[in-house]
Each structure stands twice: as C-alpha cells, then as structure tokens.
Amino acid sequence: MRVGVIGTGYVGLVTATCLAEAGHHLTCVDNDPRKIQTLREGKIPIYEPGLEEMVARNVAAGRMRFSGSTAEAAAENEMLFIAVGTPGRDDGTADLSFIEAVSREIATNLPADGTRKIIVEKSTVPVSTGDRVKRSIQRGCRPGVQFEVVSNPEFLREGSAIHDFFRPDRIVVGVESEFAAAAMRRLYEPILEGRYFDPPGSRRPAWLVTDVASAELIKHASNSFLALKISYINSIAAICELTGGNIEHVAEGMGLDNRIGPQFLRAGLGYGGSCFPKDVAAFREIARAAGADFGILKEVMEVNAGQRKKFLRKIEEALWVVKGKTVAVLGLAFKPHTDDIREAPALDILAWLDKQGAHIRAYDPAAQENVRKLFPGVAYCASPYQAAEQADALLVVTEWDEFRYLDLKRLRETMKHGIIIDGRNIFDPPAVTEAGFEYFSMGRPPVRPAGMEQSSGSSVS
Ligand code: UDX
C-alpha cells in the first residue's frame, strides 16, 4: 500500500520504517527541513536499536523516502498517518496544535478524485480528537473529497520498538466503517499473520476493531493501568520497609497469579519517560473535563513522585552529610536501552546532589551526552569502575544489564567507602555485603557486611 506518515519523531519514524519493512511504500514527511536532510543522509536522529539499518535497507529497496511536503503526501497516498507531537502542558492537558495544523494541511490537499483516503491518528490523543480531526478536514477540504478518520494507537516501548511493532499482543483500530477496517487489516496483514514470531506463525496478534473513541481510550487506559501497577508495587515496597518484608519476594508471589502477571511489578525509582508521566496526567484531565473524578490517578502520580524523594532520603541516611562527598551515579536514561532522559529520575537526583554540594561522577552507556548539556559540572566517566573511583557512595539509578554483572570486589577496591544505594534492586543483598558493601535498596531491609552492626530495619519510609 502507499502510505504517508506525517511527523518523523519517534512514533512516526518507527511506524514508517516497520511498515516499509513489511512491504509497503512509505513517504515520511516532516516540516523541519533539517530533519528531512539528516534522514536523507542516512542519519537517524533518535536512538533505537536496529532502526538505522532498517531505514537504510528500505530506502535502498525504494520503499521509503523523505519529503518536506504534506501536500504531496496527501495527494499521492491512499493512507496518511498523523504522528506529530502532542506535548503536555503545565495543567496536564495535551497541546493539540500540531494535530490541528496537520489536519488543516491535509484538508486543503486531499484530491477529489473519487478515491477514499484513510487518515490514521497515531499520536496519543485525548478521546474525541478523531472527531475533531474529521470536522477540521471536512471544513477545509474541497467538495467531493472522500475520507475517513481511524484511530490506531501505538504501544511501542522505547528500546524495543521494532520488536514490539512486529510482535505486538494486539493491534487496535477504531473505525467508522467496514471499508476503513478492511484497509487497516490489509495494511497490518503481514504482522497479523504472525510471520515475525519465532517460529513464524507460532503466535498471532489479536486484531481488535472498535469505534474511534474506544480506540483512543484504550491507549490512555492501558498506559495509566501500567503506571498504576508500578505505583501499586512501590506502595507495597513502602509497607515492606516498615514491616521488614522483602518486595522482591512479595512481587514474585503476586506475579505468579496469572490474573496479576509478573510484568510491571518492579519496585524502584518509579516511572519516567515521554509517555507514562504525560499520559497519566492527560488522562486525569480528560476524565475531569468529562465530569469524572479519576482520583486513583492522582495517587499514582503522587506515589511516583514520592519514590524519588524516598531515594534521596536513603542517600542522606547512608551518607549523613552529603556536602563534599563524592557520589557515583550509575545510569542516567529513564530506563535501559535508550538515551532518552525525559522525566528521568536521574535528573532530579543530580539536581539534588548538586544542590547539596556533592561531587558527582556519572556513567551511562547511552545518555551521557544528553545529560551533559543540563549538568555540565558533573564528571562523566568512561565506565562504571571509573565513576566509582574514590567515591563515598554509589547510586544505581537505571538498571542497565552491564551494571548487574559488575565485579563487586573490584568496585569496592576502587571506592573510598563501600556504600551502594540501589534504586532498581539489581543486586543480590548477600553478594554485595560479601564484597564489603553496606547496601540500601528499595522495599528491602538495608544490609551490612559481616562485622558491621545490622540495622533492625530501615528507618526510611
Ligand atoms: C511505555 C509503554 O510501555 C508503551 O506501551 C507506550 O507505547 C509508551 O510508554 P516506555 O515509556 O518506552 O513505554 O517504557 P516502559 O518500558 O513501558 O517503562 C516505562 C517506565 O516505567 C520506565 O521509567 C521504567 O523504568 C518504569 N517501570 C517499568 C518500572 O518502574 N517498573 C516496572 O515494573 C516497569
């Protein structure tokens, strides 16, 4: 199929590339000429494993090209994806001005040639945006133009977006007609066949067709539920700290119930990134505007913000005076396998350490350059061991795999004092104490090496 994708940000670029890989012909449009130039030169402005090679392959195969013209894309393609940004505003609501601008531009350029175009809303938007897009296009298009607006929410995770695109649990389309449902089904047929599962066909993603409003709600409801799961387990972690339980055991025991499932039960510093914080806040505002009080989401946000504060109190408990101490920070990205630092806990932690007057040494395999712009005074290091040199304490902020397999004895020898404060529970307490560390983690009692007095339980709550 011939498909135009408007917006070459994260969602747009991944969607377009994967659709091209599945055999469709893609035009990627952006109104930023520098971005288009960069993409034409084969450079990818975002960090996503495997994406650069996939773009190059599909450009070389003639299935993918880059353009600055929405007008051209609207005229030439049978389907147009809107994948522009919907930034969060201070009051939690989403700024839809880019969606509106693109809708208007599409409207004036849709041909009245008897074909029925499908306009797909891919950006995460408040419920009823599809209706707005439709009205906006209806107002601006020439007589005789035929089109339909479809909602097709994305559920891609940064860092595994390509995997998620080809092996989704479900594909959701919100439509107004059989015609639109059939067109979307044709588009996703290669993925629905399950040919990307191993072995091919061993699984097939669920195909769910709904009305447009329900599809829009599915996106916000899903992300908010996952965020709720995280805040729930973090609340249980707080109870563990007060009662002497171990959150890892509690989460395992809960997750073994199929109705609950083990995913998104990792306690720690809470969620960050470009989606959960924005989507939870937006969904709460959507509910409020509709006349419903979604109080649970307020709690979800408060618990999440509280996790960072709790971690800072653990640093104080471990170090007593922070001023003048050298602190090694491992992990800066909001999660592993990405260089994205949007809403990353590390930013709050660095700001606080800086304010306290600590000397900060940091290491992250991917996000260092992004953080350097915000915190130029931090010493950025080439390895975790280098970051730990002469440090009074080491903080684990992002759970990159390489941190799990550190040589703890070597780490201890590098540091001035053996203190680890682990915001992601990546270490096994006996292993760290054996290497000579005092170890503070989330939702587990602090532990100390043999010979040091054991605490009767954490005073941190
Ligand atoms: C999320 C959704 O998973 C995805 O479906 C949607 O399209 C976009 O938002 P993403 O933000 O890339 O994806 O990251 P994800 O892997 O879901 O993690 C989100 C945040 O939750 C991270 O900060 C992560 O550290 C945190 N998290 C996740 C936990 O704290 N505990 C968990 O158990 C799981």
Side-chain angles (χ1 to χ4, degrees):
M1 295 172 78
R2 296 182 63 82
V3 183
V5 174
I6 299 160
T8 60
Y10 193 85
V11 171
L13 194 57
V14 171
T15 304
T17 310
C18 293
L19 286 173
E21 179 78 7
H24 299 294
H25 289 268
L26 269 293
T27 306
C28 305
V29 182
D30 207 290
N31 62 5
D32 179 349
R34 278 169 312 172
K35 231 170 164 187
I36 291 298
Q37 189 51 36
T38 309
L39 287 163
R40 282 185 180 148
E41 286 163 10
K43 289 183 224 135
I44 304 298
I46 55 173
Y47 174 95
E48 183 63 35
L51 190 62
E52 192 164 306
E53 299 82 338
M54 200 177 271
V55 170
R57 187 160 64 236
N58 285 286
V59 169
R63 285 194 301 268
M64 198 173 173
R65 64 191 194 89
F66 303 101
S67 157
S69 167
T70 301
E72 218 176 86
E76 287 173 2
N77 292 289
E78 53 197 295
M79 201 174 263
L80 284 174
F81 276 69
I82 303 179
V84 292
T86 53
R89 292 190 286 219
D90 288 344
D91 64 358
T93 60
D95 177 355
L96 300 176
S97 50
F98 298 125
I99 303 258
E100 191 198 36
V102 168
S103 306
R104 287 179 185 208
E105 217 182 332
I106 290 175
T108 50
N109 290 293
L110 282 180
D113 58 2
T115 60
R116 197 170 181 75
K117 303 272 189 182
I118 305 286
I119 315 297
V120 187
E121 163 193 278
K122 194 72 180 166
S123 310
T124 298
V125 289
V127 58
S128 81
T129 302
D131 204 42
R132 294 269 182 182
V133 169
K134 180 173 154 185
R135 276 189 276 153
S136 177
I137 298 178
Q138 272 168 346
R139 272 190 216 129
C141 68
R142 61 195 82 162
V145 163
Q146 294 183 45
F147 72 95
E148 283 200 44
V149 174
V150 170
S151 165
N152 174 218
E154 59 86 17
F155 304 105
L156 310 174
R157 288 165 303 175
E158 283 185 28
S160 55
I162 293 178
H163 172 278
D164 293 352
F165 189 93
F166 288 112
R167 299 170 197 81
D169 291 335
R170 78 303 207 185
I171 295 176
V172 177
V173 294
V175 297
E176 285 190 324
S177 74
E178 279 296 325
F179 172 83
M184 293 305 287
R185 173 127 205 156
R186 260 200 335 266
L187 181 79
Y188 281 114
E189 200 54 51
I191 290 149
L192 291 167
E193 284 168 1
R195 73 164 80 141
Y196 300 98
F197 285 97
D198 186 24
S202 57
R203 267 191 60 203
R204 279 162 198 257
W207 169 247
L208 182 66
V209 181
T210 68
D211 56 280
V212 176
S214 300
E216 291 170 332
L217 283 167
I218 286 169
K219 168 70 188 195
H220 271 124
S222 301
N223 270 2
S224 297
F225 186 77
L226 292 171
L228 175 127
K229 237 181 145 181
I230 297 169
S231 282
Y232 187 87
I233 203 66
N234 282 329
S235 301
I236 305 286
I239 296 170
C240 283
E241 291 189 3
L242 294 168
T243 57
N246 180 326
I247 191 61
E248 298 302 319
H249 296 160
V250 177
E252 187 181 358
M254 288 170 62
L256 285 169
D257 185 327
N258 277 332
R259 294 169 303 175
I260 298 174
Q263 297 190 52
F264 282 74
L265 287 183
R266 287 195 323 273
L269 276 161
Y271 59 81
S274 63
C275 289
F276 283 0
K278 184 170 90 121
D279 289 355
V280 174
F283 201 30
R284 186 159 172 249
E285 286 311 314
I286 291 164
R288 201 208 302 268
D293 174 18
F294 209 157
I296 303 172
L297 294 189
K298 181 168 174 266
E299 290 278 322
V300 168
M301 291 190 277
E302 281 170 7
V303 169
N304 198 56
Q307 291 310 107
R308 299 177 187 199
K309 295 196 184 105
K310 214 168 261 178
F311 188 70
L312 302 181
R313 273 187 272 146
K314 281 177 194 286
I315 301 174
E316 280 179 320
E317 183 185 78
L319 282 178
W320 191 16
V321 174
V322 179
K323 188 174 178 189
K325 301 265 168 70
T326 299
V327 179
V329 179
L330 297 193
L332 300 169
F334 84 93
K335 66 169 195 176
H337 312 294
T338 177
D339 67 349
D340 196 337
I341 56 166
R342 284 176 287 179
E343 303 285 335
L347 302 183
D348 288 342
I349 294 164
L350 291 183
W352 183 83
L353 287 171
D354 190 40
K355 198 164 154 221
Q356 300 297 311
H359 304 294
I360 312 170
R361 301 173 63 77
Y363 171 76
D364 187 285
Q368 264 172 217
E369 290 318 305
N370 289 339
V371 175
R372 195 192 293 273
K373 292 171 206 148
L374 301 175
F375 295 93
V378 168
Y380 295 94
C381 302
S383 74
Y385 299 105
Q386 198 187 73
E389 268 168 30
Q390 289 306 302
D392 292 283
L394 180 128
L395 315 183
V396 179
V397 177
T398 314
E399 67 278 31
W400 286 93
D401 276 342
E402 63 177 280
F403 302 158
R404 293 179 197 277
Y405 306 110
L406 287 172
D407 177 342
L408 293 170
K409 292 226 159 75
R410 179 176 162 204
L411 201 66
R412 176 66 194 90
E413 281 156 21
T414 315
M415 291 173 64
K416 197 191 300 171
H417 292 115
I419 296 174
I420 295 179
I421 306 150
D422 181 356
R424 300 293 182 178
N425 289 2
I426 64 169
F427 295 124
D428 186 27
V432 250
T433 49
E434 205 193 299
F437 284 101
E438 284 181 74
Y439 182 55
F440 301 80
S441 55
M442 308 294 277
R444 300 187 290 190
V447 286
R448 299 186 162 82
M452 280 183 86
E453 194 193 331
Q454 290 292 330
S455 154
S456 58
S458 172
S459 60
V460 178
S461 60

